Amino acid sequence: MRAMVYRGPYKIRVEEKPKPRVEHPNDAIIRVVMGAVCGSDLHLYHGMMPDTRVGTTFGHEFIGVVDEVGPSVQNLKPGDRVMVPFNVFCGSCYFCARGLYGNCHNVNANATAAGGMYGYSHTAGGYDGGQAEYVRVPFADVGPMVIPDWLDDEDAVMLTDALPTGYFGAQLGSIAEGDAVVVLGAGPVGLFAARSAWLMGAGRVIVVDHLDYRLEMARTFAHAETVNFAEHDDVVVHLKRTTDHLGADVVIDAVGAEADGNFLQHVTAAKLKLQGGSPIALNWAIDAVRKGGTVSVMGAYGPMFSAVKFGDAFNKGLTLRMNQCPVRRQWPRLLEHIQAGHFKPNDIVTHRIPLEHVGEAYHLFSAKLDNIVKPLIVMDPA
């Protein structure tokens, strides 16, 4: 089969790989119809995540058609059109029993630190991902869901990570009616978090980024106020001034480990690898939220050390909430929102790129060219 293959930082290509096979009675083999490139895939592409092994196929956002199932699978059959959450989870451990699918204890040799994910580094289990013609899906009865007939493919693939994660970010903010909510980052997760904040009662939503075309989408898609941090000497001071000098009630970090905005943090993280990523967005969140406020972290960070201003968080009495999104848990409510017209998830899709040109998708997304916001990987463009 054809699959995207990682060959080192900034080096990916499409190669022939063996088609995956059923390895356990609970497995399913999915013929991928459509995938997406996530901002957290760029951390792998840039060599930021430890134990990202040559030969790995990325891609934790994908939908497809069931090609084969193991003998124990009860809920799927060949031919079913399914969406697959990015979490690999067993559905029965201590954490899954509590709906914490992103923290499953049975799917990763490194389970005390992280759950399992498709197409990520071996710190997340080492599962091949869906930027390929086929993918093996373990625990097929508890992860995938048959896509409702009324939901189109592009909206469905947005439900495998970007939309649930943005929605979850707003949920973790515990937004109260009238709250001022700042979202750092106008990428897909930030846009969905901003739009979700309104549904949870926000009185103001302010999106911060430095790319004007993405801020324009924040205004039109998420109906948010916007701030270009590059236009301010100190964006935290500006945010304080616009929130009664107290700070926002809730700040959502939708940026993660490769934030722009601080040269020293960038050099120590991306160039010298002295920390697990630039925490400048998280530090801005800690500084920009009011005392007693809540910081929700949805941007991806790796397992290594980062220079986070924990003392400021302590002295301000902040609540810091974060986790990998338990995607499957979000679906019932999000499907209701989509049916009610509160979301049209594929409104943020800007590029549809065939698998053969997946390298171009990563290049455009990494360099923020051609006004890219969300690229899809299409298996059969015809």
Side-chain angles (χ1 to χ4, degrees):
M1 69 168 186
R2 296 171 303 155
M4 168 271 174
V5 175
Y6 175 72
R7 287 296 168 193
Y10 293 90
K11 297 176 183 175
I12 61 171
R13 60 194 187 207
V14 175
E15 297 182 6
E16 288 291 327
K17 292 181 75 170
K19 180 183 173 183
R21 58 183 178 81
V22 171
E23 298 178 10
H24 185 278
N26 291 331
D27 284 353
I29 305 300
I30 306 298
R31 176 174 61 79
V32 177
V33 171
M34 183 177 292
V37 183
C38 176
S40 57
D41 288 328
L42 296 181
H43 305 330
L44 304 171
Y45 178 65
H46 295 156
M48 293 291 295
M49 288 294 168
D51 207 5
T52 302
R53 300 184 186 179
V54 168
T56 298
T57 294
F58 299 165
H60 54 271
E61 300 180 57
F62 61 91
I63 63 167
V65 175
V66 177
D67 184 68
E68 182 182 358
V69 295
S72 297
V73 175
Q74 301 292 315
N75 298 334
L76 299 179
K77 62 182 185 305
D80 282 344
R81 176 174 163 258
V82 294
M83 52 189 184
V84 182
F86 77 79
N87 322 107
V88 181
F89 63 98
C90 72
S92 58
C93 71
Y94 175 92
F95 300 99
C96 288
R98 290 156 177 79
L100 299 170
Y101 305 134
N103 308 110
C104 178
H105 214 53
N106 287 329
V107 292
N108 183 1
N110 193 33
T112 55
M117 287 177 59
Y118 295 97
Y120 223 68
S121 85
H122 274 63
T123 60
Y127 297 89
D128 264 343
Q131 290 167 10
E133 290 183 304
Y134 293 89
V135 61
R136 182 177 75 90
V137 172
F139 301 103
D141 274 337
V142 298
M145 173 183 168
V146 175
I147 300 172
D149 290 340
W150 56 265
L151 189 66
D152 68 37
D153 285 352
E154 291 191 358
D155 289 337
V157 78
M158 291 294 97
L159 279 165
T160 60
D161 179 4
L163 173 53
T165 296
Y167 191 79
F168 186 54
Q171 280 183 324
L172 291 189
S174 300
I175 297 167
E177 187 170 353
D179 273 355
V181 178
V182 168
V183 179
L184 301 177
V189 169
L191 292 169
F192 283 130
R195 181 98 174 215
S196 301
W198 292 116
L199 297 175
M200 298 176 194
R204 291 181 70 188
V205 179
I206 305 168
V207 175
V208 179
D209 204 298
H210 67 118
L211 298 171
D212 286 330
Y213 75 92
R214 290 193 173 193
L215 291 172
E216 173 62 22
M217 186 168 278
R219 291 188 289 271
T220 57
F221 173 79
H223 312 298
E225 302 170 50
T226 58
V227 173
N228 185 330
F229 70 75
E231 296 175 354
H232 299 276
D233 292 335
D234 188 329
V235 70
V236 170
V237 170
H238 175 76
L239 290 170
K240 287 279 185 69
R241 285 173 177 158
T242 62
T243 51
D244 297 329
H245 296 274
L246 295 176
D249 301 292
V250 177
V251 179
I252 300 170
D253 170 7
V255 179
E258 292 193 82
D260 291 312
N262 184 292
F263 180 73
L264 179 61
Q265 294 280 15
H266 173 72
V267 169
T268 57
K271 302 300 181 185
L272 302 179
K273 312 293 187 193
L274 295 177
Q275 55 178 334
S278 167
I280 187 62
L282 181 52
N283 286 337
W284 282 352
I286 290 169
D287 287 341
V289 74
R290 65 165 167 78
K291 287 180 281 189
T294 299
V295 172
S296 166
V297 184
M298 285 298 103
Y301 290 88
M304 295 171 61
F305 158 85
S306 290
V308 176
K309 301 175 74 172
F310 186 75
D312 285 357
F314 171 80
N315 286 307
K316 292 177 71 174
L318 302 185
T319 298
L320 306 180
R321 302 189 71 190
M322 64 211 79
N323 203 349
Q324 295 285 357
C325 175
V327 171
R328 192 67 159 80
R329 200 176 80 194
Q330 310 298 322
W331 281 347
R333 186 68 177 134
L334 288 173
L335 288 170
E336 290 179 2
H337 280 310
I338 293 170
Q339 279 196 299
H342 299 152
F343 287 108
K344 184 70 175 80
N346 78 338
D347 280 351
I348 71 162
V349 173
T350 53
H351 291 67
R352 297 158 181 86
I353 298 174
L355 177 64
E356 286 76 7
H357 302 300
V358 66
E360 181 69 4
Y362 274 83
H363 172 64
L364 291 173
F365 203 30
S366 173
K368 306 294 184 290
L369 300 174
D370 198 30
N371 289 351
I372 194 166
V373 175
K374 187 64 175 178
L376 299 184
I377 303 300
V378 183
M379 295 301 144
D380 183 6

